[in-house]
Amino acid sequence: MKVVVVTRSGRELIKGGLELDDSATVSDLQEAIHRRTRNYYPSRQRLTLPLLPGSKEKPTILHYRKSLKEYCSGNSDNLTVVFKDLGPQVSYQTLFFFEYLGPLLIYPIFYYLPVYQYFGYKGERIIHPVQTYAMYYWCFHYFKRIMETFFVHRFSHATSPLSNVFRNCAYYWTFGAYIAYYVNHPFYTPVCDLQMKIGFGFGLLCQISNFYCHILLRNLRRPNGNGGYQIPCGFLFNIVTCANYTTEIYQWLGFNIATQTIAGYVFLVVATSIMTNWALAKHLRLRRLFDGKEGRPKYPRRWVILPPFL
C-alpha cells in the first residue's frame, strides 16, 4: 500500500510517499518515516487522519499498534496521513526523576548547611524537633515519588516533550527552596507538640494511602502501558474519582499543620488548584466514556477530588 505523509500545511514530508506492506502497522509507518527523515524518531511523531476543509472536529490520532488498513476508506490501498513534529522527547521516568530529585537534594541543604550566613544571620542556630521531623517527612515523600516512578507507575504515553523537564523542574525546585528556607530558618517559631504530632501523623497516613492508590492505578494498566480507560475502584476510589490527588493534597495539608509557614500554604494552594483541574478533566472524561449506553457501564456517583467540597 502507498502512504502519503503531509505536514499540517499540506506539504509532502516525504516526496513520492512510502510503499509499505498491506499488513503494516502505524508503528511500521513511523519507523519508515524515521528512516527517511532521521530527525523524526517515532515518539516525536503524531500522525492523524486529514480533516475536511472547515471541519471543527478533532482529528483521529493513529494508534501505533493498529494496522494501517483500519484507517483506509473502503478497499483503497492508498492512505494520506498528517504529520506533526512533537519536538524533542524524554521518557516520563526521566522527567519525573529530575523534577523530584531537586526538592530531595535542595531541602537538606537548608537543614544541614550554614546557608543562612549568606542571608545575613550570624548567630547560633537552634534546630527544633519539628524542623528535623519536617526534613525527614519531606525527604521520605520525594524519595517515595522517585521509587514509584521506576517501580510502580505505568505510563499511558512513552514520552513527554523535553520542554516539560525545564518547566516542571522550575516548579518543584523553586518551591522546594522556598519552603525549605522558611521551615529551617533560625527565626522559625515551632507549633506546639500536639499540633506537630497531629499534622505529621495525619500527613504520614495520607502518604501511605497515596502509595496504595498508586498501586491500585497501576493494576488498571497493562505492563506495556496500554489498556484503555477503566473505572478505578477499591479503597478511596469507591467514593472519590481521583483519590491519588486527594491523598496528595491532604498529605501536604498535614505537613503544613505541623510546620505552619506561609510558603508551605502557598505551595498547597497552587498544587491543589493544579490537581483539581486534572481531577475535573479526568472525572468528566470517565463520565463521558462510561455513560451507561450501548452496553457500556455507567460511571458511579462519586466526589471528584476533595470530599466534602468537590
Side-chain angles (χ1 to χ4, degrees):
M1 65 180 301
K2 182 177 182 179
V3 181
V4 177
V5 184
V6 299
T7 64
R8 291 192 293 174
S9 64
R11 178 181 62 85
E12 274 196 62
L13 180 69
I14 300 172
K15 296 296 182 181
L18 294 166
E19 292 290 343
L20 298 173
D21 293 336
D22 289 345
S23 59
T25 63
V26 175
S27 179
D28 295 329
L29 172 59
Q30 290 177 317
E31 291 291 347
I33 294 173
H34 182 214
R35 286 193 297 270
R36 293 287 296 273
T37 60
R38 304 310 301 168
N39 288 333
Y40 302 132
Y41 44 86
S43 61
R44 188 168 173 164
Q45 304 172 25
R46 190 185 78 159
L47 303 178
T48 60
L49 294 180
L51 292 174
L52 295 175
S55 175
K56 295 184 179 179
E57 296 182 0
K58 290 185 177 180
T60 300
I61 300 176
L62 277 60
H63 192 279
Y64 76 100
R65 295 175 68 101
K66 288 189 176 182
S67 170
L68 290 172
K69 280 287 189 181
E70 296 184 41
Y71 296 104
C72 293
S73 57
N75 296 321
S76 174
D77 287 332
N78 296 315
L79 177 66
T80 299
V81 299
V82 180
F83 168 89
K84 179 183 178 181
D85 177 18
L86 298 177
Q89 302 284 303
V90 296
S91 70
Y92 269 95
Q93 288 185 336
T94 299
L95 170 66
F96 287 171
F97 172 74
F98 281 106
E99 70 182 37
Y100 297 145
L101 181 65
L104 180 62
L105 297 180
I106 290 172
Y107 195 101
I109 291 175
F110 286 86
Y111 178 83
Y112 286 109
L113 301 181
V115 295
Y116 294 97
Q117 293 180 5
Y118 300 103
F119 296 100
Y121 181 79
K122 303 299 182 182
E124 182 182 358
R125 177 177 166 228
I126 298 176
I127 298 178
H128 302 284
V130 65
Q131 292 173 310
T132 301
Y133 296 140
M135 195 270 295
Y136 291 151
Y137 183 100
W138 180 279
C139 291
F140 172 74
H141 169 77
Y142 282 104
F143 178 77
K144 176 181 79 73
R145 295 303 296 268
I146 290 176
M147 292 298 102
E148 288 173 340
T149 296
F150 289 105
F151 302 109
V152 176
H153 293 321
R154 289 173 177 166
F155 303 101
S156 57
H157 299 286
T159 60
S160 172
L162 177 62
S163 59
N164 287 349
V165 175
F166 302 103
R167 182 196 65 187
N168 291 15
C169 285
Y171 170 80
Y172 280 100
W173 294 28
T174 300
F175 266 117
Y178 181 44
I179 296 171
Y181 174 83
Y182 283 102
V183 175
N184 295 290
H185 200 282
F187 295 150
Y188 172 78
T189 302
V191 299
C192 68
D193 283 351
L194 179 60
Q195 182 174 334
M196 177 189 71
K197 291 176 182 177
I198 292 174
F200 283 138
F202 175 70
L204 186 60
L205 178 63
C206 289
Q207 288 220 48
I208 296 171
S209 299
N210 181 257
F211 173 75
Y212 186 56
C213 287
H214 289 158
I215 294 294
L216 293 176
L217 290 176
R218 168 191 169 87
N219 294 335
L220 292 178
R221 197 179 298 278
R222 298 187 189 126
N224 59 8
N226 295 311
Y229 287 104
Q230 300 182 49
I231 298 177
C233 59
F235 192 44
L236 297 177
F237 286 109
N238 290 334
I239 57 175
V240 186
T241 293
C242 294
N244 51 321
Y245 296 152
T246 303
T247 50
E248 178 81 10
I249 291 170
Y250 279 127
Q251 73 182 17
W252 286 119
L253 176 63
F255 177 86
N256 283 295
I257 290 173
T259 56
Q260 201 157 295
T261 64
I262 293 177
Y265 279 110
V266 169
F267 176 63
L268 176 63
V269 170
V270 173
T272 300
S273 65
I274 293 173
M275 285 186 277
T276 298
N277 288 332
W278 293 345
L280 286 169
K282 184 173 182 179
H283 186 77
L284 292 174
R285 184 165 56 246
L286 289 172
R287 287 185 61 184
R288 184 175 64 252
L289 290 173
F290 301 102
D291 53 9
K293 300 176 182 178
E294 299 179 359
R296 292 185 293 269
K298 185 172 179 60
Y299 194 73
R301 185 178 179 86
R302 292 176 177 174
W303 298 101
V304 179
I305 184 172
L306 284 175
F309 307 109
L310 181 62

